[in-house]
Amino acid sequence: MTHPLRVAVIGAGVAGLAAARSLRREGLDVVVFEKSNHLGGTWSYDPRTDSDPVGLDPNREVVHTSLYRSLRTNLPRQLMGFLDYPFPNRNNGDPRTFPGHEEVLWFLNRFSDEFGLRGLTRFGSEVVRVELVSEKSDSWVVESRRNRDSVLTREVFGAVVVCTGHFTQPRLPTIPGIEKWPGYQIHSHNYRVPEPFQGQIVVVIGFASSAFDISREIAKVAKEVHIATRSPDVKVMKLANHDNMWQHKMEVIFQMTELQCKWVARVLSGKVLLPTEKEMMAYVEEYYQQMEKDGFPKHMTHYLHFKEIGYCNWLAAKAGLPPIEHWRDAMYLESIKPVLLGLQDNYRDQWDDAHWKAIIKDASLPQNVN
């Protein structure tokens, strides 16, 4: 009798839960390792912060989540669910189209319980090392410890799926002159509430979603807030509707995760093959060539929101799955318009439910093909 492939999944956040479900559906034997004592990954709010607020000390005590207390999703709840498991409303929950982080954590716990993923998860288990059994083996040794115990457990798995997030080291030290800054420095990973900035003059570096939220929240208590960004089209100006905010030029979607997990599960179950290195590099080259045609430098890949659906459909095709429904594409593009056209203070609440329902309805109609 052939035993199912044993797969280790590291992390019980969005990606880890999606991976565990997809792997289990393919008939594989799944074990999920979760360092903390709860599900949700970065969606589990923790008021604590790293012992080094900038994040440069390699020996610092690290807090995994980057959530600030007031954080809301920057995509509509209709796009925050899984392809076959939508994000529902709940009694006495947050009914907003762009809900707060508490609602996302509730959804992930419900998803886990619905598909029996909690029982696959070893809470309080930190993976400290992963390596091949030998150069000639396809098996992996996973070393873990329980609740920071000094005793290590060694187990062998046929495959390992790493789902531990993508928090990167802060880029502050790469900014010329930042070492001369006399004031307090903090990476947004360690921002939680605005009160510590009461009466301060604050410089916020960057202008993506988190910088947008944090700068406006801090402006309610700070003396001045100055936003600095590398974007080439930024105009030096005082921001409208704010008496103490200035903008400066600095001279220096769950469904995608789900498709990646389904692809991995189908590869490990032998139903599809990974692309060859030549195929993968051809796709990357094509992607960057299109970026240059569109006028985007390579370091701005994270701003290419409008290409996300194309990538999802590429993933779906590789995994032998149908493309993303057209209504998801239309709703996603509508939701990122404020980002592409210049964020507005109330961009999450500028449209009511009727607006979103109309987009879904129109996009769900049969598309005319000329």
Side-chain angles (χ1 to χ4, degrees):
M1 179 178 178
T2 303
H3 294 285
L5 185 71
R6 194 164 186 244
V7 183
V9 175
I10 305 176
V14 174
L17 295 175
R21 185 182 71 152
S22 294
L23 293 164
R24 197 180 191 190
R25 282 180 164 179
E26 294 296 335
L28 306 179
D29 183 10
V30 182
V31 176
V32 181
F33 292 86
E34 171 53 46
K35 181 179 179 180
S36 72
N37 293 312
H38 49 73
L39 300 171
T42 196
W43 287 102
S44 180
Y45 177 73
D46 190 335
R48 299 176 304 149
T49 58
D50 292 4
S51 56
D52 174 10
V54 179
L56 298 181
D57 182 1
N59 298 315
R60 71 191 185 280
E61 182 179 350
V62 177
V63 176
H64 177 70
T65 183
S66 299
L67 288 184
Y68 35 97
R69 188 174 63 188
S70 63
L71 183 139
R72 295 170 61 186
T73 67
N74 57 3
L75 288 175
R77 66 192 309 128
Q78 292 90 336
L79 299 181
M80 292 295 292
F82 296 100
L83 292 171
D84 60 351
Y85 193 81
F87 197 120
N89 288 312
R90 62 167 172 156
N91 294 332
N92 302 317
D94 185 345
R96 295 175 294 182
T97 301
F98 295 79
H101 58 81
E102 301 91 345
E103 202 74 3
V104 180
L105 183 60
W106 167 81
F107 168 73
L108 292 175
N109 275 278
R110 174 176 168 171
F111 174 80
S112 175
D113 292 338
E114 182 84 13
F115 294 99
L117 306 180
R118 198 180 299 272
L120 305 179
T121 305
R122 296 181 186 174
F123 293 101
S125 294
E126 179 185 11
V127 173
V128 296
R129 190 168 70 93
V130 176
E131 68 177 9
L132 280 170
V133 171
S134 68
E135 293 183 0
K136 298 181 180 180
S137 173
D138 291 331
S139 298
W140 297 83
V141 172
V142 175
E143 285 190 359
S144 63
R145 61 185 179 188
R146 296 276 298 174
N147 297 315
R148 299 191 176 183
D149 193 345
S150 59
V151 178
L152 296 179
T153 300
R154 291 170 55 91
E155 298 175 83
V156 176
F157 293 86
V160 178
V161 182
V162 181
C163 304
T164 54
H166 61 276
F167 172 64
T168 57
Q169 289 290 335
R171 299 181 180 180
L172 288 176
T174 68
I175 301 170
I178 194 64
E179 69 280 357
K180 299 178 181 178
W181 176 257
Y184 176 68
Q185 298 178 30
I186 181 175
H187 190 271
S188 62
H189 166 72
N190 289 308
Y191 174 80
R192 296 293 183 269
V193 294
E195 284 75 14
F197 302 95
Q198 180 77 40
Q200 303 292 310
I201 297 176
V202 181
V203 176
V204 177
I205 299 173
F207 203 49
S209 297
S210 60
F212 177 87
D213 288 346
I214 292 171
S215 62
R216 278 147 178 79
E217 186 167 76
I218 288 177
K220 296 175 182 178
V221 300
K223 181 180 179 180
E224 297 177 6
V225 174
H226 299 266
I227 303 169
T229 175
R230 287 193 176 100
S231 177
D233 300 323
V234 166
K235 297 179 181 179
V236 179
M237 57 183 290
K238 188 173 184 178
L239 295 184
N241 303 320
H242 294 278
D243 294 330
N244 63 340
M245 293 186 68
W246 288 264
Q247 180 173 276
H248 305 266
K249 182 177 180 181
M250 187 167 60
E251 301 295 344
V252 268
I253 181 194
F254 285 2
Q255 289 139 19
M256 183 191 300
T257 299
E258 185 183 7
L259 285 170
Q260 292 170 331
C261 293
K262 287 183 176 181
W263 186 15
V264 169
R266 291 194 171 202
V267 168
L268 294 179
S269 65
K271 293 182 178 179
V272 298
L273 298 175
L274 284 172
T276 64
E277 181 179 358
K278 183 177 180 180
E279 289 174 329
M280 194 68 205
M281 293 309 299
Y283 173 77
V284 172
E285 184 177 350
E286 178 186 350
Y287 183 81
Y288 279 121
Q289 287 177 349
Q290 187 60 49
M291 280 178 57
E292 292 178 359
K293 289 180 181 178
D294 294 336
F296 286 89
K298 290 183 178 180
H299 72 271
M300 293 181 67
T301 54
H302 55 296
Y303 288 114
L304 301 183
H305 307 283
F306 52 89
K307 294 186 180 294
E308 300 284 5
I309 297 297
Y311 176 63
C312 285
N313 287 335
W314 180 81
L315 274 178
K318 288 295 181 182
L321 300 169
I324 295 292
E325 300 102 313
H326 184 61
W327 71 263
R328 296 182 190 273
D329 189 355
M331 196 171 191
Y332 177 74
L333 293 175
E334 181 74 1
S335 69
I336 65 171
K337 275 184 180 179
V339 179
L340 300 177
L341 301 178
L343 291 168
Q344 303 173 23
D345 284 0
N346 65 337
Y347 79 97
R348 290 182 176 91
D349 300 314
Q350 62 180 314
W351 295 306
D352 58 17
D353 286 345
H355 175 81
W356 297 108
K357 289 178 180 178
I359 289 177
I360 294 174
K361 180 179 179 180
D362 291 345
S364 299
L365 295 174
Q367 303 297 303
N368 293 325
V369 179
N370 295 325

